[in-house]
Amino acid sequence: MQPAVLSLSPGAFRAFGRSMDHSGQADRRLGGLMASAQTGDRAAYDALLRDCVPVIRAVARGRGVPPEAIDDVVQETLLTVHRARHTYDPSRPFRAWLRTIAERRAIDLLRRQGRQRSREVHDEIAYETHPAAAQAPVAEVDAGLRQAIDGLPEGQRQAIEELTLKDRSLAEAARATGRSPGALKVNLHRALKTLRARLSGEEG
Amino acid sequence: MARSTERLIRELGDGLTPVRRIAAPNRLALLWLGFSVLITAGLAIVFDMQAAMARLGSATDMWLAALGSVLTAALAAKAAFELAMPGRPRLWALLPLPALLLWIGASGMGCLRTWATAGWDGGVHSECLMSIIGISAPLAVAMVVMLRRAYPLHPVLTSMLAGLACAAASATVLSLFHPGDAATADLAFHALAVMLVTAVLTVSGRRLLRR
């Protein structure tokens, strides 16, 4: 047995060495692509972002992000990579840089989901225990809100319908509407602002 | 890969413009420290520098405390700029800790020394408080502007370190130009001011640095 183990060990070491080499090479390649992207090289940037996706997915999975939300983390991380690309120093490992961004975005998403869940529970309790719940003019409110939503510009209306009324994730809504998550976010934000202004204006 | 991710990658490619790489954290920290030295030099024209040096030399705890606050400012600034770059471990936040302990320890010794000879003078030293806050303000503005150029993924931790750096730098400046020996009450107000400046930056960090 002993010689067999001994004869295996160098092989295992070599394999380990190869995988370390491989990971070092991959890091150098990605770092090189980012360095080119920093100078405005579109092809390098495209290749880099594609290669980032599996790394981000692995980080998100490792952090316990549910499978249906992984695409959201991927897209938010890619957006952050875009905005933070001037902070990458090509003399440092690229994947460490990418991983910290992906981890941050994964944690943000999990926190957001946690907050949403706790709010939903509270809303239910609030609704059930609200003294005016019995006679609340739900249909009227709905009709007024519906009208206000219908009056929004196309992009804003789509964003609010997909993301809030149908409760779809950013990635699902993006797939359904053919718009980017970034555009959807901006539109949702604008729609809420418009609705708030219109509805409070009508009441006041 | 999801179709929407494909589309996002295309859009990000469309929006690609050349960027100027941000300077390394060490250079940014040195730049900011240079700015603090400039403010100190400005004050040195107005105040008596020789008296300041004589005061620092008068007791071991005085110059140890000044050394502690200078090191705290430098290391907290370095840690803040490290944390403002993605890919750096959060452990950087511990960097100013030894210097902070030296500063607190030496100041505590100073407190005991002056307490033994003079006791608490009972006064409220709002001028110390205002000086530290006043000197911290321009330092904090410069630091926040520089940090916003980077991309802090931990805004609260980063701004807490920024606050500590500003407070430590302005406490150092004040210890140089403080009229007379620092009494126990003065030191207590210095500590209060340092905590206040750090707390204000920590609390507003999320808003100032969120990305």
Side-chain angles (χ1 to χ4, degrees):
Chain A
M1 284 316 284
Q2 194 74 348
V5 172
L6 281 176
S7 70
L8 267 179
S9 299
F13 273 119
R14 269 199 300 277
F16 179 70
R18 267 201 304 277
S19 84
M20 287 304 284
D21 262 5
H22 180 70
S23 106
Q25 266 174 12
D27 244 348
R28 270 195 296 279
R29 195 180 75 83
L30 292 174
L33 287 175
M34 184 49 127
S36 305
Q38 285 172 332
T39 63
D41 182 339
R42 165 92 196 241
Y45 195 44
D46 203 71
L48 172 76
L49 293 181
R50 277 166 206 290
D51 284 354
C52 284
V53 173
V55 181
I56 304 168
R57 296 187 79 91
V59 170
R61 264 197 303 273
R63 281 276 161 185
V65 172
E68 69 276 9
I70 284 183
D71 275 337
D72 287 352
V73 174
V74 168
Q75 292 172 13
E76 300 214 348
T77 305
L78 290 178
L79 276 170
T80 307
V81 164
H82 184 73
R83 291 190 198 119
R85 65 191 189 279
H86 66 288
T87 66
Y88 174 66
D89 171 357
S91 68
R92 300 179 69 89
F94 177 80
R95 277 182 303 182
W97 183 85
L98 175 64
R99 273 197 202 104
T100 53
I101 296 178
E103 269 168 21
R104 190 69 241 168
R105 292 299 166 244
I107 292 167
D108 285 349
L109 179 120
L110 291 172
R111 280 197 190 144
R112 242 185 355 253
Q113 283 187 338
R115 265 204 302 275
Q116 253 162 18
R117 264 195 293 279
S118 69
R119 222 182 4 244
E120 276 157 17
V121 171
H122 287 305
D123 281 353
E124 245 168 56
I125 295 168
Y127 185 76
E128 281 167 9
T129 54
H130 195 280
Q135 63 266 38
V138 174
E140 266 174 50
V141 170
D142 262 354
L145 191 59
R146 188 70 248 176
Q147 216 179 353
I149 291 172
D150 286 342
L152 289 172
E154 177 63 16
Q156 294 182 22
R157 189 183 57 74
Q158 253 181 357
I160 209 144
E161 279 184 344
E162 295 292 325
L163 293 173
T164 61
L165 299 184
K166 292 185 189 166
D167 201 21
R168 281 183 165 157
S169 76
L170 209 52
E172 287 167 347
R175 270 198 294 281
T177 57
R179 288 172 194 270
S180 75
L184 278 169
K185 270 191 187 173
V186 170
N187 274 322
L188 176 66
H189 186 71
R190 285 187 188 145
L192 290 174
K193 220 167 132 183
T194 319
L195 285 179
R196 209 175 294 135
R198 280 192 194 162
L199 292 174
S200 66
E202 274 175 20
E203 280 165 15
Chain B
M1 189 162 34
R3 264 219 319 273
S4 51
T5 305
E6 290 268 6
R7 195 172 310 121
L8 178 66
I9 289 176
R10 237 185 355 260
E11 281 174 8
L12 293 180
D14 290 342
L16 183 70
T17 48
V19 284
R20 218 174 58 142
R21 226 171 272 144
I22 193 165
N26 276 342
R27 281 192 59 183
L28 292 173
L30 281 176
L31 203 66
W32 180 82
L33 285 170
F35 180 57
S36 323
V37 170
L38 218 64
I39 290 186
T40 315
L43 289 172
I45 297 170
V46 185
F47 289 94
D48 186 355
M49 212 43 199
Q50 273 185 335
M53 287 305 154
R55 210 164 35 243
L56 278 189
S58 65
T60 316
D61 60 73
M62 291 276 279
W63 68 261
L64 271 183
L67 180 69
S69 60
V70 168
L71 285 177
T72 304
L75 297 177
K78 154 94 176 147
F81 286 118
E82 285 286 348
L83 278 184
M85 312 288 173
R88 318 283 166 125
R90 258 188 298 179
L91 272 178
W92 276 111
L94 298 179
L95 186 68
L97 211 59
L100 183 63
L101 290 176
L102 171 66
W103 183 21
I104 293 172
S107 300
M109 264 161 55
C111 265
L112 288 178
R113 181 171 54 81
T114 49
W115 179 267
T117 54
W120 180 276
D121 65 0
V124 174
H125 296 240
S126 56
E127 70 279 12
C128 296
L129 203 69
M130 295 323 288
S131 305
I132 289 189
I133 292 171
I135 300 169
S136 287
L139 294 178
V141 171
M143 177 78 99
V144 168
V145 168
M146 291 168 83
L147 287 173
R148 281 180 63 88
R149 262 280 295 153
Y151 205 98
L153 291 172
H154 307 283
V156 176
L157 196 58
T158 309
S159 60
M160 187 183 80
L161 288 162
L164 181 63
C166 295
S170 46
T172 311
V173 174
L174 187 65
S175 73
L176 284 178
F177 304 118
H178 204 284
D181 194 2
T184 308
D186 286 324
L187 291 171
F189 273 89
H190 289 194
L192 182 68
V194 167
M195 283 189 273
L196 208 68
V197 169
T198 310
V200 166
L201 256 98
T202 307
V203 169
S204 48
R206 199 176 291 281
R207 189 159 306 159
L208 291 173
L209 299 180
R210 186 174 51 190
R211 306 303 293 263

